Amino acid sequence: MNYTIYFDICAILILVFFILSLLIRRKIAGRNNYLMFSMLLLALTASVGDLAFVLLSDNAPASTVTQIWMHISCDIYFLSRNMILPIYVFFIYTSIGVWHALQTKKHLLIIWTVCDLIPIVALILNIFLPAVFRITPAKEYVSGPMTMIFHLIALVFAVWGILALIRYRKTVRIDKMIVLFFLYPLVIIAVLIQLYHPEIRVEMFGISVAMMTFMISIQSSENLVDPMVGALRYSAGIENLLNIIKTGKPSTILLVRIVNTGNILMYLGQEIHNHYLNKLSGQFRSMAASHRYRADLYYLEHGLYGFLSEDDQLEAAYETADEIRHYLALQHSVDDFDVLADARICIIQNPDDFDDFQSMFNFATSFHLTLPATRKILLYADYKDQPEFRIRNDLDDIIAKAISSEGFEMYYQPIYSAVENRFVCAEALIRLQDADYGFIPPALFIPIAEQNGSIHAIGDWVLRNVFRFMSENNMYELGLNYIEINLSASQCIEPDLVDRIEHLLEVYNLMPEQISLELTETAADIDPEIVDRNVKKLHNMGIRFALDDYGTGYSNIRRVVSLPIDQVKLDKSFVEAMNDPQMWIVIEDTITMLKEMGKEVLIEGVETPENADKFLKLKCDLLQGCEYIQGFFFCRPLPADEFIEFMRAHR
Ligand code: C2E
Ligand code: MG
Ligand code: MG
């Protein structure tokens, strides 16, 4: 038979190229790389066996020696080729990060081993009883009935791999899934061609093309490693974190956050900062290796490093963390600069600690703010049962429950007018009471709601509730000119904010002047264009605006000037510092400046009679005085009915 040998030659070239590339880049360590390397080697031996068989068959003289060599070539080909699909099943499990699922299922491992051994046994028996194939003295290849077993076993492993891909489809990116699946149609087509045209030796070429695809798309470490930092990239880290949560596999995660990374960057400049990060990556990795902490190191941006292990390795992670802690406590020199890092270290153990990605991600990126500011090694397990963390993790459910089952309530804090000497308005403040966690302060849940998007539903609920309250009670009789409602930053950029408020005013039959919306400076800054548009439209309708917490941010005075703001609320930090004479000068001058700009001024957080007195004594109608005072000294925020009673009593 005249065989086509070019496909085999191409396959050999492709495989040799990638084997060499793995060897040169030393990318053989790690289960996934090791499996890939094994498959490449097996494919290479199978291709060489096939090529040898073809060359002998077409060129060597018919003799017993040729017959034996052809037999050996066929054995090599069958053995190697038949090992590829079982290893490929393992490769799928490691590539999609569910190796642990296989490890725990002993029966699957037994099936794998048995199916793997059958062809080997069959080939050994074939020497004595040629039931798989035989080579005739005339160099003819004759297949026996046992060849079917090889096809059957290949089918078992193919179905196994496809089922694994289907079963774990949610844990893997679609592009990776497609690449992993790609091998099967390619091999099936090649096998069919070779079955009907045995002279076209295309099967190994099909397999080597599939391998090439993996090498280029999945295995390409250049896509994963950030060469600047010398650690795996953020995106790869996120994918693996997601995978850890979805599969519930055990993993010990070690987080190291350099909290002064901004300062170090400013001091070193970008290029030397990268050298510094690179140095840290190298040190961290060798420390992990010396403690046998088998984990990949990721750089998760902004000074955050994360080690992700494939199994439970608390002890090794702790020892590594301790060495990193000691190392970072020392001063290091980078390109002639001396650097001292300020680091926080925390260990997470999954699946015990987190069962949803968002909570874990939020925690990992902010643990340096939410856990105690200490240089000791922190274990999340020690904190996770504290109410604050339990609330953080459950907040999505808590908020959804509160919206549907009256868990929210509006309180009202009366605001005193120093001009009229009476309470003229009030601030609406939300309260959250949960059946399991009790009272949850807005300072805790509003920022989280802003992160997870539930702030829009909360904001809607607040507007409706306050508007209804105002329409059900006679504001004029209570002496209330308007009610102030806090708008969160994300609400300010809602494109339909104006329409919704207009609609609510109509439904509840209220005048726009009865509403004052409080903005914060972050809101005014996030998306100036859309905030401007919303604020200006609402202001033109007659709604009042106040700027809340003035003095806490960097107080962008340009925004105060450019937005149609009627009132500026000085933050309570001014009151806390007012006994400092220098600070008092700042307060007086700030008030004067705002008044000259035509703004009304309110001071928040007045708690004591002395503080109230000091503000009341300022001539509020002149430039030095603030017109409004709000604080516990006058009244704490009250539930709606108590607030009405209070207002009636103080008319
Ligand atoms: P804020 O808008 O600055 O509200 C004033 C906060 O100061 C309220 O805290 C109020 O109870 C508290 N406060 C009033 N007088 C005093 C005082 O004399 N001393 C002290 N130490 N505190 C005083 P609260 O109700 O816990 O709200 C905290 C923050 O949560 C609010 O700050 C606001 O930013 C946000 N928030 C509250 N309700 C809502 C709401 O309905 N929507 C939105 N988006 N945010 C809200
Ligand atoms: Mg406010
Ligand atoms: Mg405030």
Side-chain angles (χ1 to χ4, degrees):
M1 195 178 306
N2 267 336
Y3 289 106
T4 317
I5 56 168
Y6 301 110
F7 286 115
D8 272 339
I9 292 175
C10 283
I12 290 171
L13 289 177
I14 292 173
L15 294 163
V16 167
F17 174 80
F18 283 112
I19 287 172
L20 286 179
S21 113
L22 282 186
L23 285 173
I24 290 166
R25 290 183 299 148
R26 296 170 195 228
K27 289 285 297 177
I28 305 168
R31 193 176 288 120
N32 200 251
N33 289 332
Y34 181 70
L35 291 173
M36 185 67 203
F37 188 70
S38 312
M39 283 193 296
L40 286 170
L41 274 185
L42 286 169
L44 181 65
T45 27
S47 307
V48 170
D50 197 42
L51 186 64
F53 166 80
V54 166
L55 290 176
L56 287 166
S57 160
D58 280 350
N59 305 310
S63 69
T64 318
V65 178
T66 307
Q67 204 181 342
I68 292 172
W69 276 115
M70 281 178 71
H71 198 107
I72 294 173
S73 307
C74 267
D75 278 343
I76 291 174
Y77 168 73
F78 272 120
L79 260 183
S80 327
R81 194 204 59 176
N82 266 67
M83 281 297 287
I84 295 174
L85 279 183
I87 292 187
Y88 190 61
V89 168
F90 280 179
F91 182 73
I92 288 178
Y93 277 85
T94 55
S95 289
I96 58 184
V98 290
W99 176 253
H100 67 287
L102 194 60
Q103 263 177 325
T104 49
K105 294 191 182 105
K106 291 276 175 293
H107 62 284
L108 284 184
L109 290 176
I110 292 171
I111 295 175
W112 189 92
T113 317
V114 170
C115 288
D116 218 24
L117 285 176
I118 291 174
I120 298 174
V121 174
L123 284 177
I124 293 172
L125 291 179
N126 191 53
I127 300 171
F128 311 104
L129 185 77
V132 181
F133 70 90
R134 68 191 165 86
I135 308 291
T136 65
K139 299 194 294 178
E140 281 295 306
Y141 171 89
V142 182
S143 71
M146 291 278 277
T147 321
M148 271 315 288
I149 288 189
F150 284 71
H151 292 312
L152 267 178
I153 284 173
L155 191 69
V156 167
F157 283 115
V159 171
W160 186 340
I162 291 169
L163 287 181
L165 281 173
I166 295 172
R167 158 104 167 70
Y168 297 106
R169 64 191 177 282
K170 289 201 178 121
T171 70
V172 61
R173 274 199 337 255
I174 185 76
D175 52 336
K176 195 166 179 176
M177 176 93 176
I178 292 170
V179 170
L180 284 169
F181 187 77
F182 183 59
L183 177 104
Y184 294 113
L186 212 63
V187 169
I188 289 169
I189 292 169
V191 166
L192 288 178
I193 293 175
Q194 203 166 310
L195 201 68
Y196 292 104
H197 298 278
E199 74 284 2
I200 305 176
R201 311 301 290 182
V202 76
E203 194 182 342
M204 292 321 299
F205 178 70
I207 291 178
S208 63
V209 167
M211 305 258 165
M212 186 168 75
T213 321
F214 305 140
M215 289 295 296
I216 292 169
S217 53
I218 305 182
Q219 291 298 106
S220 167
S221 65
E222 287 78 7
N223 287 340
L224 302 178
V225 176
D226 182 342
M228 301 286 195
V229 181
L232 292 156
R233 282 182 204 282
Y234 184 83
S235 52
I238 297 299
E239 194 183 328
N240 282 347
L241 279 176
L242 250 173
N243 183 273
I244 283 172
I245 289 291
K246 280 186 179 162
T247 58
K249 70 179 165 192
S251 174
T252 307
I253 301 169
L254 167 59
L255 300 167
V256 179
R257 163 78 79 170
I258 316 287
V259 283
N260 58 340
T261 194
N263 294 346
I264 297 176
L265 172 64
M266 221 180 337
Y267 169 54
L268 296 177
Q270 188 67 57
E271 197 181 334
I272 304 177
H273 185 246
N274 282 343
H275 296 174
Y276 176 59
L277 293 179
N278 225 308
K279 177 176 172 154
L280 292 188
S281 304
Q283 292 289 345
F284 291 175
R285 243 198 313 268
S286 67
M287 287 171 197
S290 73
H291 294 288
R292 295 175 188 280
Y293 177 35
R294 293 178 308 280
D296 288 326
L297 178 66
Y298 296 86
Y299 184 66
L300 300 166
E301 317 263 307
H302 305 299
L304 177 62
Y305 283 94
F307 276 105
L308 256 67
S309 78
E310 281 276 308
D311 37 47
D312 186 357
Q313 295 185 46
L314 182 60
E315 212 179 307
Y318 200 90
E319 285 167 5
T320 309
D322 203 38
E323 198 179 344
I324 290 178
R325 183 171 74 95
H326 282 106
Y327 175 77
L328 290 176
L330 304 173
Q331 190 162 299
H332 297 285
S333 77
V334 199
D335 296 6
D336 296 334
F337 288 92
D338 287 331
V339 185
L340 185 59
D342 184 10
R344 304 278 178 273
I345 301 178
C346 175
I347 295 176
I348 297 175
Q349 272 179 291
N350 271 356
D352 296 348
D353 286 352
F354 288 98
D355 52 18
D356 83 290
F357 173 75
Q358 201 53 47
S359 320
M360 177 167 70
F361 181 74
N362 289 347
F363 174 77
T365 49
S366 65
F367 79 94
H368 60 299
L369 304 172
T370 48
L371 291 186
T374 165
R375 299 209 172 104
K376 290 188 189 137
I377 299 162
L378 302 163
L379 293 181
Y380 177 66
D382 293 342
Y383 295 90
K384 72 168 190 241
D385 288 332
Q386 287 185 359
E388 195 191 317
F389 286 100
R390 282 173 43 217
I391 291 169
R392 274 177 197 280
N393 292 341
D394 284 356
L395 202 73
D396 284 344
D397 294 341
I398 295 175
I399 290 175
K401 201 169 69 186
I403 289 178
S404 64
S405 66
E406 314 272 292
F408 287 125
E409 192 183 348
M410 286 320 287
Y411 274 44
Y412 296 86
Q413 185 177 30
I415 294 173
Y416 190 76
S417 160
V419 183
E420 297 187 41
N421 289 321
R422 65 179 188 93
F423 295 97
V424 291
C425 56
E427 176 171 4
L429 294 158
I430 194 166
R431 295 290 175 260
L432 169 53
Q433 194 72 33
D434 183 76
D436 300 324
Y437 298 107
F439 171 69
I440 301 172
L444 174 62
F445 74 80
I446 294 279
I448 299 175
E450 280 178 338
Q451 271 176 20
N452 71 12
S454 47
I455 191 66
H456 300 285
I458 297 177
D460 242 23
W461 185 90
V462 169
L463 285 172
R464 253 167 215 291
N465 199 279
V466 176
F467 278 44
R468 180 162 5 96
F469 167 78
M470 291 173 72
S471 74
E472 285 170 358
N473 294 281
N474 190 330
M475 293 290 110
Y476 175 75
E477 231 174 66
L478 295 173
L480 289 164
N481 298 339
Y482 55 85
I483 299 279
E484 302 199 328
I485 302 172
N486 289 285
L487 270 196
S488 90
S490 350
Q491 274 180 287
C492 294
I493 52 170
E494 286 171 358
D496 60 343
L497 182 72
V498 177
D499 293 344
R500 285 213 324 275
I501 292 185
E502 212 168 7
H503 172 71
L504 287 175
L505 285 172
E506 214 176 286
V507 170
Y508 291 105
N509 197 19
L510 296 171
M511 305 289 286
E513 296 74 24
Q514 290 178 281
I515 307 292
S516 172
L517 297 176
E518 292 190 10
L519 306 173
T520 57
E521 289 187 273
T522 29
D525 250 10
I526 38 170
D527 190 342
E529 209 171 301
I530 184 150
V531 172
D532 272 19
R533 200 166 43 207
N534 277 344
V535 171
K536 282 179 183 152
K537 271 193 195 161
L538 290 167
H539 197 259
N540 286 343
M541 278 161 51
I543 287 182
R544 291 171 50 92
F545 275 91
L547 187 68
D548 204 357
D549 304 336
Y550 184 80
T552 45
Y554 59 96
S555 300
N556 185 345
I557 203 73
R558 250 196 60 71
R559 290 300 282 156
V560 181
V561 178
S562 66
L563 283 170
I565 285 165
D566 306 285
Q567 183 188 71
V568 176
K569 301 183 77 169
L570 302 189
D571 187 67
K572 47 183 167 285
S573 53
F574 279 111
V575 178
E576 282 156 17
M578 67 189 268
N579 289 330
D580 173 354
Q582 302 276 345
M583 206 48 213
W584 184 246
I585 297 173
V586 173
I587 295 173
E588 282 191 314
D589 283 357
T590 307
I591 295 173
T592 309
M593 175 188 75
L594 293 169
K595 294 285 282 278
E596 275 180 336
M597 285 160 57
K599 310 290 178 198
E600 297 171 358
V601 181
L602 180 149
I603 179 86
E604 291 185 289
V606 172
E607 291 183 355
T608 64
E610 297 78 39
N611 292 353
D613 225 37
K614 212 162 169 181
F615 280 103
L616 285 168
K617 277 200 185 110
L618 291 173
K619 294 267 176 290
C620 56
D621 44 348
L622 299 179
L623 283 177
Q624 300 88 344
C626 50
E627 295 91 335
Y628 299 98
I629 307 181
Q630 179 180 355
F632 294 168
F633 168 69
F634 291 106
C635 187
R636 285 180 176 269
L638 299 170
D641 45 351
E642 287 178 38
F643 168 66
I644 292 171
E645 268 172 46
F646 178 92
M647 288 307 294
R648 286 211 175 107
H650 290 85
R651 272 232 58 182

Coordinates of all heavy atoms in Angstrom, one line a residue, residues 427 486 518 548 569, ligand 2:
E427 N -34.6 65.7 58.6 CA -33.9 64.9 57.6 C -34.5 63.5 57.8 O -34.6 62.9 58.9 CB -32.4 64.8 57.9 CG -31.7 63.8 57.0 CD -30.1 63.9 57.1 OE1 -29.6 64.7 57.9 OE2 -29.5 63.2 56.3
N486 N -31.8 61.9 51.7 CA -30.4 61.6 51.2 C -30.5 60.8 49.9 O -31.2 59.8 49.7 CB -29.7 60.7 52.2 CG -29.3 61.4 53.5 OD1 -28.4 62.2 53.5 ND2 -30.1 61.1 54.5
E518 N -30.4 65.6 49.4 CA -29.0 65.8 49.9 C -28.1 65.0 49.0 O -28.2 63.8 48.8 CB -28.9 65.3 51.3 CG -29.7 66.1 52.3 CD -29.3 65.7 53.8 OE1 -28.3 64.9 54.0 OE2 -30.0 66.2 54.7
D548 N -24.3 67.4 51.4 CA -24.2 66.8 52.7 C -22.7 66.6 53.1 O -21.8 66.6 52.2 CB -24.8 65.4 52.7 CG -25.3 64.9 54.0 OD1 -25.0 65.6 55.0 OD2 -25.9 63.8 54.1
K569 N -24.3 71.5 54.2 CA -24.4 70.9 55.6 C -22.9 70.6 56.0 O -22.3 69.7 55.5 CB -25.2 69.6 55.6 CG -26.6 69.8 55.1 CD -27.5 68.6 55.2 CE -27.9 68.3 56.6 NZ -28.9 67.2 56.7
Ligands
MG2 MG -27.7 63.5 55.2

